[in-house]
């Protein structure tokens, strides 16, 4: 490179490229060989360049099931979180993703599952959740994508389980009264003849 070399063209202010060579000193200037996103490519004087550091895209949660604020959620629910990017599997744990009763009490035992390269995390409780309870699903900024970018902010969503469950013989109302058994049927299949 030099000020007396062959002039290949100019780049508009704001055009970007990748450094592929340099620095080299010549004619009192520091030169960098740039592969510009738009041609022409070549050697450019450092005084007219600005370093741009690309910022990785933010990691966000794009969907959750059950939906935030959902009510009458089945007791056998398996919550699913969908992220905007693949995750670092080592950061997807029961410490960074929790499910707790909103009113306090012991959280349900659950398995947090993630397949590397995927964008979904599944939370599988070891048994049915309790009826008529609001649950809080929390994801901390400890969850990171494969580049180490953390979730932009803690994510909190809630849902409430219902009292009525469908089974092969009809509906079952889960009893909240100690006088009733949880398997007492109060409703029958709506397709039954009367």
């Amino acid at each position: 490179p030099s000020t007396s070399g062959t002039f290949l063209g100019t780049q508009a202010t704001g055009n970007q490229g990748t450094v592929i060579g340099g620095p080299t000193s010549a004619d009192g200037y520091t030169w960098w060989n740039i592969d510009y996103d738009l041609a022409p490519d070549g050697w450019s004087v450092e005084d007219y360049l600005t370093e741009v550091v690309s910022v990785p895209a933010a990691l966000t949660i794009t969907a959750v099931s059950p939906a935030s604020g959902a009510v009458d959620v089945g007791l056998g629910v398996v919550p699913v979180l969908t992220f905007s990017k693949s995750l670092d599997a080592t950061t997807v744990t029961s410490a960074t993703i929790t499910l707790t009763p909103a009113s306090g009490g012991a959280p349900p035992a659950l398995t947090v599952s993630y397949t590397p390269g995927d964008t979904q995390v599944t939370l599988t409780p070891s048994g049915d959740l309790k009826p008529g309870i609001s649950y809080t699903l929390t994801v901390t900024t400890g969850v990171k994508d494969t580049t180490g970018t953390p979730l932009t902010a803690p994510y909190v969503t809630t849902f409430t389980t219902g009292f009525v469950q469908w089974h092969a013989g009809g509906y079952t109302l889960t009893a909240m009264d100690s006088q009733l058994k949880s398997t007492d049927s109060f409703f029958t299949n709506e397709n039954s003849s009367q």
Side-chain angles (χ1 to χ4, degrees):
S2 98
T3 56
S4 59
T6 303
F7 181 74
L8 300 176
T10 62
Q11 286 290 334
T13 301
N15 282 356
Q16 296 185 9
T18 303
V19 174
I20 58 173
T24 298
S25 294
D27 299 333
Y29 294 102
T30 302
W31 299 78
W32 293 91
N33 193 0
I34 309 290
D35 177 8
Y36 286 100
D37 295 342
L38 303 170
D41 300 328
W43 290 92
S44 298
V45 174
E46 181 177 73
D47 295 348
Y48 300 101
L49 300 174
T50 302
E51 182 178 6
V52 176
V53 178
S54 62
V55 177
L59 176 63
T60 60
I61 293 175
T62 59
V64 62
S65 175
S68 185
V71 295
D72 295 327
V73 173
L75 304 183
V77 65
V78 176
V80 177
L81 295 158
T82 303
F83 290 80
S84 58
K85 300 190 285 182
S86 296
L87 303 174
D88 174 351
T90 65
T91 67
V92 180
T93 68
S94 58
T96 57
I97 302 175
T98 59
L99 182 65
T100 56
S103 60
L110 62 109
T111 301
V112 178
S113 304
Y114 173 71
T115 302
D118 198 0
T119 58
Q120 289 192 331
V121 173
T122 304
L123 289 77
T124 308
S126 62
D128 283 353
L129 298 180
K130 294 181 180 179
I133 300 290
S134 287
Y135 285 90
T136 301
L137 175 56
T138 304
V139 184
T140 72
T141 57
V143 173
K144 298 178 182 178
D145 69 15
T146 55
T147 67
T149 302
L151 189 64
T152 54
Y155 180 85
V156 178
T157 183
T158 61
F159 64 87
T160 304
T161 53
F163 293 100
V164 179
Q165 286 187 289
W166 168 255
H167 58 83
Y171 294 97
T172 299
L173 177 63
T174 303
M176 294 303 292
D177 186 317
S178 62
Q179 300 297 316
L180 301 174
K181 295 180 179 64
S182 64
T183 56
D184 288 344
S185 290
F186 293 90
F187 304 95
T188 59
N189 187 332
E190 60 188 42
N191 293 326
S192 300
S193 58
Q194 296 184 357

